[in-house]
């Protein structure tokens, strides 16, 4: 009898069963598969900028997402193995133990993630284990673009114009109902609890109480699209700052891949068929295109996004290192109420609106004249929705060292506060807490 074909499936930021090419291909091409997630030691360390790689909010959301993924895999007859340590060591050990011939993983584009993947591939080569990667993040597949990623336009509008009408969004991979696996040991919940505390309270003022996992992601989508139909007014409300309805809040689930951008895209199309298309339904796709764009930018420019001069090597490095201004910024104590309110929200909830992010980033770069990478590194620690491409790409863009460096990204904070928080409600919420009466709250716990 020929030997069984066994494959490992490395889950990373694609923590879902539906629309997951790695999972789909691995099942189709092998007799049995072993799904796993590796809690990389680096995730629990301090970065070069002095912040945690992942703070409490991110870790809590990750833990919830892993628990959900394990449950979904168990329901299909498989399960999730949890590894902890240095990925190339742990994955090599697992591949040896299981006699795996192939490993299926999400394609990486950012330098740190690429380095880890390369180290794993090198180790697995020693076992003759093939390393296969698939794109799981974007709406567009890189090979469907009308240009090689190396020739990606430097300006978003050009990218959009050259893609949105002609590049197809590939169809969704169905969710497998049965997954053939050898017996998978129960998820090591004790280890998960030891590494990630469940005892994290999110401030009741939070715009939304996030819960990780694909079930909560789809619940949020149902709520935002159908129960409230808030999507139909997204374009008018998206610059808001208070509450769950002004924007989709899909970002944390997208960041860990509990839901895919393609799933959201096709649900927008379904909504349009039922209720009609308008500027708002289009605008949500427009924002997902920004997300794709930052993904492709990272693939094109890789490590340059992590340099102080970013994408613009000729820019002088005249910005300041860590100093007390940074501490004041982090703790919402700059004395500028609009900045302080936003930074307090981030500190206590792990979330901030897009309008807020633009303002606090501009303030750090242009008013405090700090090295922008401290801001990006603090966001990496703090944001529940941290996404390497979106975070470092947006920061570099606002610091004037990313794509489209010609435009002036200076935000006049007083003017912004007057436009986006005219009655000071947002600032009062975070600086002077008095519970708001009749505030609508949505909770993804259901
Ligand atoms: C300095 C800075 C740092 C940021 N860091 C991150 C990050 O780490 N992770 C992250 O997901 N987003 C980041 N963003 C982008 C944006 O602020 C968030 O995606 C958005 O606020 C999340 O809320 P939402 O899901 O309700 O967004 P919505 O307005 O409902 O948008 C829908 C989706 O479109 C995408 N999107 C929207 N705006 C952008 C944008 N400017 N760039 C890329 N994608 C976008 C997101 O996936 C978002 O979930 C950052 C923006 C700035 C200015």
């Amino acid at each position: 009898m020929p030997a069984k074909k066994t494959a490992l499936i490395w889950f990373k930021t694609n923590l879902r069963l539906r629309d997951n090419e790695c999972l789909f291909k691995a099942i189709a091409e092998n007799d049995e598969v072993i799904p796993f997630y590796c809690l990389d030691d680096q995730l629990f360390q301090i970065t070069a900028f002095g912040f945690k790689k992942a703070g409490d909010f991110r870790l809590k959301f990750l833990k919830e997402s892993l628990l959900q993924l394990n449950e979904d895999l168990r329901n299909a007859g498989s399960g999730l193995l949890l590894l902890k340590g240095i990925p190339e060591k742990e994955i090599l050990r697992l591949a040896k133990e299981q006699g795996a011939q192939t490993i299926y993983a999400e394609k990486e584009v950012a330098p740190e993630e690429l380095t880890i993947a390369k180290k794993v591939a090198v180790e697995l080569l020693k076992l003759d284990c093939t390393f296969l990667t698939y794109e799981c993040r974007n709406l567009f597949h890189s090979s469907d673009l009308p240009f090689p990623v190396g020739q990606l336009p430097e300006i978003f509008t050009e990218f959009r114009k050259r893609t949105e009408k002609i590049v197809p969004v590939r169809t969704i991979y169905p969710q497998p109902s049965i997954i053939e696996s050898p017996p998978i040991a129960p998820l090591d919940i004790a280890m998960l609890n030891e590494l990630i505390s469940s005892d994290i309270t999110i401030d009741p003022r939070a715009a939304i109480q996030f819960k990780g996992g694909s079930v909560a992601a789809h619940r949020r989508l149902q709520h935002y699209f159908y129960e409230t139909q808030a999507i139909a007014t997204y374009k008018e409300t998206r610059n808001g700052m208070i509450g769950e309805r002004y924007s989709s809040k899909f970002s944390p689930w997208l960041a860990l891949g509990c839901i895919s951008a393609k799933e959201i895209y096709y649900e927008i199309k379904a909504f349009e068929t039922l209720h009609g298309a308008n500027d708002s339904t289009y605008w949500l796709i427009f924002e997902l295109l920004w997300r794709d764009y930052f993904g492709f930018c990272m693939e094109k420019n890789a490590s340059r996004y992590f340099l102080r001069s970013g994408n613009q090597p000729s820019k002088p490095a005249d910005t300041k290192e860590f100093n007390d201004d940074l501490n004041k910024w982090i703790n919402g104590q700059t004395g500028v109420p609009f900045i302080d309110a936003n930074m307090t929200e981030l500190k206590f909830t792990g979330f901030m609106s897009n309008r807020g992010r633009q303002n606090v980033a501009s303030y750090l770069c242009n008013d405090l004249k700090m090295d922008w990478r401290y801001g990006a590194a603090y966001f990496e620690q703090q944001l529940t929705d941290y996404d390497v491409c979106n975070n470092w790409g947006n920061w570099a863009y606002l610091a004037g060292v990313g794509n489209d460096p010609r435009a002036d990204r200076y935000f006049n904070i007083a003017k912004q506060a007057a436009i986006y928080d005219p009655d000071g409600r947002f600032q009062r919420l975070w600086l002077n807490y008095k519970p708001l009466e009749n505030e609508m709250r949505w909770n993804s716990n259901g």
Side-chain angles (χ1 to χ4, degrees), residues 312-440:
Q312 309 298 320
S314 59
K315 270 234 157 185
D318 58 356
T319 45
K320 290 181 224 156
E321 298 285 343
F322 192 99
N323 66 15
D324 200 41
D325 282 348
L326 186 69
N327 273 329
K328 288 185 179 152
W329 180 79
I330 286 170
N331 289 301
Q333 293 167 350
T334 65
V336 180
F338 194 58
I339 298 300
D340 292 348
N342 276 292
M343 293 305 293
T344 307
E345 180 186 18
L346 178 62
K347 182 175 170 182
F348 290 129
T349 69
F351 190 79
M352 189 194 292
S353 68
N354 186 55
R355 182 55 45 190
R357 295 182 203 200
Q358 290 175 320
N359 274 277
V360 301
S362 167
Y363 184 79
L364 186 93
C365 300
N366 299 312
D367 295 272
L368 297 180
K369 304 209 180 302
M370 293 284 307
D371 178 344
W372 63 276
R373 297 173 304 166
Y374 284 97
Y378 176 62
F379 270 35
E380 177 168 352
Q381 166 186 292
Q382 204 64 14
L383 281 175
T384 306
D385 67 20
Y386 171 72
D387 170 289
V388 60
C389 308
N390 281 0
N391 189 56
W392 290 84
N394 269 292
W395 267 98
Y397 182 80
L398 283 158
V401 298
N403 291 73
D404 196 4
R406 293 163 306 164
D408 179 11
R409 310 254 180 254
Y410 179 72
F411 284 66
N412 178 326
I413 309 296
K415 211 166 148 191
Q416 290 275 312
I419 298 171
Y420 297 105
D421 189 27
D423 54 7
R425 200 164 151 249
F426 174 76
Q427 290 162 91
R428 277 197 308 283
L429 177 65
W430 289 102
L431 299 179
N432 239 328
Y433 182 41
K434 285 195 198 82
L436 297 175
E437 278 175 29
N438 304 324
E439 182 76 13
M440 285 294 293

Side-chain angles (χ1 to χ4, degrees), residues 139 164-165 167 169 172 221 225-226 231 261-278 281-286 288:
L139 280 183
E164 69 178 341
K165 293 221 168 75
V167 181
V169 175
I172 284 177
L221 187 143
F225 281 22
Y226 299 106
I231 185 185
K262 280 161 62 197
E263 287 183 284
I264 294 174
Y265 173 86
Y266 280 111
E267 204 56 53
I268 297 172
K269 292 289 149 196
F271 179 90
E272 287 178 337
T273 307
L274 270 177
H275 301 287
N278 66 13
T281 57
Y282 165 72
W283 213 262
L284 199 54
I285 297 174
F286 177 95
L288 291 175

Side-chain angles (χ1 to χ4, degrees), residues 27-46:
I27 293 171
E29 295 165 3
N30 295 277
D31 297 313
E32 48 184 30
V33 299
I34 299 154
F36 74 93
Y37 184 90
C38 184
L39 286 158
D40 187 336
D41 280 345
Q42 280 188 51
L43 196 62
F44 303 96
Q45 286 166 4
I46 304 289

